[in-house]
Amino acid sequence: LYDMLVIDTWETDVALMAAHHLFAITLWPISSNLGYYQSWVLWFLSTEVSSIFLAFRWMLSESDRKRTPAYALNGLIFTGLFISIRVIPIPVWSLSYLLAPSPTEVHPGFTEVPRYATWCGYACLIPLALNAFWGYKVVIGFIKSANEFFSHDENPTK
């Protein structure tokens, strides 16, 4: 939540980011409690490694280092990580979702599969769509930053 509340990386998508984080905070404990969709939750958590570079980007931006090699390298690493761990696996995860049977095991505390457990499964598709959307924005942002970095204007835009 720190990056959402403090770092203005996603300044144009604040409502979407807030919904995304609140949604995750709600669904992950349900998954953990029921034992369903835990591989999805682990994948979603592992993709957060790319967020480290958002914090670096913010620090470099705030210290007026947007046109430095460090900023460019950070952007390259972030874009590469984001695309490789969040976007490229989307077809595989989508296919696994479509081919997987509905959950049939019941957590010892329940006598039947709760209705919201099935709803949580459908909800796992939302982050795939969001990562595809944000992946597009990341690539466009990287191209814009690279163009600014390599331009020789005296007054670069921020």
Side-chain angles (χ1 to χ4, degrees):
L1 287 178
Y2 176 81
D3 61 336
M4 181 186 75
L5 296 174
V6 177
I7 302 174
D8 64 350
T9 303
W10 302 101
E11 60 272 334
T12 59
D13 298 321
V14 172
L16 187 57
M17 286 300 290
H20 160 74
H21 282 93
L22 293 173
F23 197 61
I25 289 169
T26 303
L27 291 179
W28 293 355
I30 293 171
S31 171
S32 178
N33 182 44
L34 296 175
Y36 298 132
Y37 310 107
Q38 289 180 347
S39 61
W40 285 81
V41 171
L42 288 173
W43 177 53
F44 295 147
L45 285 172
S46 71
T47 63
E48 290 301 318
V49 72
S50 65
S51 296
I52 295 166
F53 297 95
L54 285 178
F56 290 157
R57 176 184 180 267
W58 178 76
M59 287 186 278
L60 291 165
S61 293
E62 290 297 308
S63 61
D64 201 28
R65 295 187 174 132
K66 286 185 92 171
R67 293 185 51 94
T68 64
Y71 188 87
L73 180 62
N74 183 70
L76 180 64
I77 293 170
F78 171 70
T79 302
L81 267 176
F82 194 96
I83 298 301
S84 65
I85 64 176
R86 290 182 182 234
V87 178
I88 290 174
I90 289 174
V92 174
W93 280 98
S94 299
L95 184 62
S96 72
Y97 181 86
L98 292 173
L99 296 178
S102 298
T104 55
E105 295 181 19
V106 176
H107 189 277
F110 300 101
T111 56
E112 62 183 42
V113 176
R115 180 171 290 167
Y116 61 85
T118 304
W119 181 80
C120 288
Y122 298 132
C124 286
L125 297 175
I126 295 169
L128 298 181
L130 290 174
N131 280 331
F133 169 72
W134 287 320
Y136 170 78
K137 292 186 78 163
V138 164
V139 170
I140 296 301
F142 176 76
I143 291 168
K144 180 183 172 192
S145 290
N147 285 336
E148 288 177 6
F149 180 76
F150 290 112
S151 73
H152 298 293
D153 292 343
E154 292 297 319
N155 297 318
T157 59
K158 284 193 172 190

